[in-house]
Amino acid sequence: MTLPFVDRGFGAFMFDMDGTILSSIASTERVWTAWATKHGLDVETFLPTIHGVRAFETISRLNLPGIDLITEIEELTQAEFDDVEGIESILGAADFLNALPAERWAIVTSAPRRLAMRRLEAAGLPIPLIMVTGEDVANGKPAPDCFLLGAERLGHKPQDCLVFEDAPAGIRAAEAAGAQVLVITATHNHAGDTPHPSMPGYGALTPRLDGASRLTLARLATLQDAGA
């Protein structure tokens, strides 16, 4: 497999959470299936629409009569907070994140902050110094607001950042922000029909700093073979 961005250095990396550094699909779909069933929705049609976007956008676009939007979101968030069974890190993600300079990476997720913290802890992943969550922006993915804010907090231009994403909404958000994109296919087994390079996970990757202190991607086996 060809390593992406072999000749490119970046100021910072930004990572989506669900589906990109950890898998929470089983938990998420259990909760949303129960919610959809309660509201008489076609579960098979509905479930593909929930990934990578905030509950606010997901529920709002349904135009369901007689519901209190905030109450529905709060109940869903609590149900997801309570159900962490089966949440696990994507192969190699923990080592990859732990190898990054703390000030050079951020998590940018549609999840609320307390749910993001809960899932990171359940997956055994490091808590970043910089995190953008669903509450931090007025417009969720696929709007670029979250990645623009993430780049600002990292102190780098979006064009100087590499975004790791898995879902179409997040990919479009990163594109709109002007960032480069690497698609992680561990939970989808495809690259989402995008032109961006893709990797199945982080098992073959490690970050390193080049001579100009730029973040680059290296093949883990190559470094090990060289005795690094």
Side-chain angles (χ1 to χ4, degrees):
M1 181 179 294
T2 303
L3 192 68
F5 301 109
V6 289
D7 298 321
R8 176 74 188 267
F10 296 92
F13 290 165
M14 292 188 280
F15 299 83
D16 173 51
M17 185 181 70
D18 296 298
T20 299
I21 57 174
L22 61 83
S23 176
S24 60
I25 286 181
S27 168
T28 299
E29 292 196 346
R30 281 194 297 269
V31 170
W32 280 94
T33 292
W35 184 87
T37 301
K38 182 178 75 171
H39 289 283
L41 302 177
D42 182 290
V43 172
E44 185 175 354
T45 302
F46 172 69
L47 281 185
T49 72
I50 70 174
H51 298 294
V53 297
R54 299 184 302 183
F56 178 86
E57 279 85 13
T58 298
I59 300 174
S60 293
R61 63 179 170 234
L62 294 171
N63 295 315
L64 295 175
I67 68 165
D68 182 274
L69 181 59
I70 301 304
T71 298
E72 297 292 336
I73 292 171
E74 289 175 349
E75 291 178 353
L76 274 164
T77 300
Q78 185 62 48
E80 290 187 291
F81 187 89
D82 293 338
D83 185 350
V84 294
E85 182 180 352
I87 291 178
E88 58 185 9
S89 64
I90 286 171
L91 179 65
D95 288 342
F96 190 91
L97 296 176
N98 281 316
L100 287 166
E103 73 283 0
R104 301 284 291 275
W105 69 281
I107 288 175
V108 179
T109 176
S110 297
R113 180 170 295 270
R114 76 183 190 101
L115 180 57
M117 296 289 285
R118 172 79 161 165
R119 287 181 170 173
L120 289 170
E121 291 168 0
L125 291 173
I127 305 299
L129 291 178
I130 301 167
M131 184 186 299
V132 176
T133 62
E135 305 100 326
D136 293 328
V137 293
N139 303 297
K141 300 173 185 179
D145 304 34
C146 56
F147 288 119
L148 294 174
L149 180 57
E152 179 183 331
R153 290 180 175 178
L154 285 162
H156 293 271
K157 295 180 179 179
Q159 295 80 3
D160 196 29
C161 294
L162 177 61
V163 168
F164 296 72
E165 260 287 359
D166 75 300
I171 293 168
R172 293 199 301 273
E175 290 171 341
Q180 296 294 309
V181 180
L182 178 59
V183 181
I184 301 298
T185 61
T187 59
H188 297 294
N189 298 315
H190 62 79
D193 299 323
T194 78
H196 305 292
S198 64
M199 294 290 289
Y202 305 85
L205 294 178
T206 190
R208 66 178 178 184
L209 294 173
D210 65 16
S213 194
R214 304 277 291 166
L215 282 174
T216 63
L217 295 176
R219 189 175 297 281
L220 187 58
T222 301
L223 291 181
Q224 291 173 340
D225 293 343

